[in-house]
């Protein structure tokens, strides 16, 4: 039964349990982009449309997590859980329209969404595997 529970809480590719974990704040501070890593964080928000992205945070550092090749989604009720992520940090310029889309997916009001103007440069994590504890 324990094996089944673990299977149900993993999405995308399996995560190597022996891989070293790089703390999310270190990953972002070093700007360690395009390198395959494993990291962890608390889920702060999840796309409420499909579960096609989530935002995670660890010790005050947060990133939006996208899923490689749009290949899998996560449950919409994982807010507050700890996520273990396997994938790569990327630096991306988000247009105002993309930022507005993400806010709408979070369930923000049209007035809040409309406040977003201009593009921003952000770090995102592109996960090929996600597991929840």
């Amino acid at each position: 039964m324990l094996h089944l529970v673990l299977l149900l809480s993993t999405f995308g590719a399996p995560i190597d349990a022996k891989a070293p974990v790089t703390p999310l704040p270190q990953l972002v501070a070093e700007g360690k982009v395009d390198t395959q890593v494993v990291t962890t964080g608390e889920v702060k928000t999840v796309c409420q449309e499909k579960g096609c992205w989530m935002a995670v945070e660890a010790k005050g550092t947060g990133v939006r997590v996208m899923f490689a090749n749009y290949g899998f989604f996560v449950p919409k009720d994982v807010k507050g859980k700890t996520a273990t992520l396997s994938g790569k940090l990327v630096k991306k310029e988000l247009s105002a329209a993309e930022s507005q889309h993400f806010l709408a997916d979070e369930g923000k009001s049209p007035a809040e969404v409309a406040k977003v103007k201009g593009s921003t440069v952000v770090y995102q994590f592109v996960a090929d595997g996600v597991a929840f504890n």
Side-chain angles (χ1 to χ4, degrees):
M1 184 66 172
L2 182 59
H3 180 65
L4 180 60
V5 170
L6 291 174
L7 180 62
L8 293 176
S9 65
T10 301
F11 301 86
I15 297 173
D16 181 359
K18 295 177 184 175
V21 176
T22 304
L24 184 59
Q26 176 186 339
L27 191 63
V28 172
E30 293 175 359
K32 194 173 185 176
V33 297
D34 299 326
T35 302
Q36 185 73 26
V37 296
V38 173
T39 192
T40 63
E42 179 185 347
V43 179
K44 294 297 186 178
T45 58
V46 180
C47 171
Q48 291 300 294
E49 291 296 314
K50 315 182 225 190
C52 59
W53 60 264
M54 63 184 177
V56 299
E57 185 178 299
K59 297 184 180 179
T61 300
V63 294
R64 182 173 313 278
V65 179
M66 307 300 287
F67 307 115
N69 301 316
Y70 213 58
F72 62 97
F73 301 142
V74 296
K76 295 184 274 185
D77 63 352
V78 294
K79 181 178 178 179
K81 293 188 178 189
T82 298
T84 300
L85 313 166
S86 173
K88 297 178 180 182
L89 187 70
V90 297
K91 197 171 189 178
K92 180 173 177 24
E93 183 173 349
L94 289 181
S95 68
E98 288 172 306
S99 294
Q100 291 170 340
H101 174 82
F102 288 137
L103 289 172
D105 282 352
E106 282 181 43
K108 300 293 183 186
S109 72
E112 289 176 283
V113 171
K115 289 179 185 178
V116 175
K117 307 285 185 223
S119 63
T120 57
V121 176
V122 298
Y123 283 111
Q124 291 184 342
F125 193 89
V126 178
D128 51 45
V130 177
F132 296 101
N133 308 33

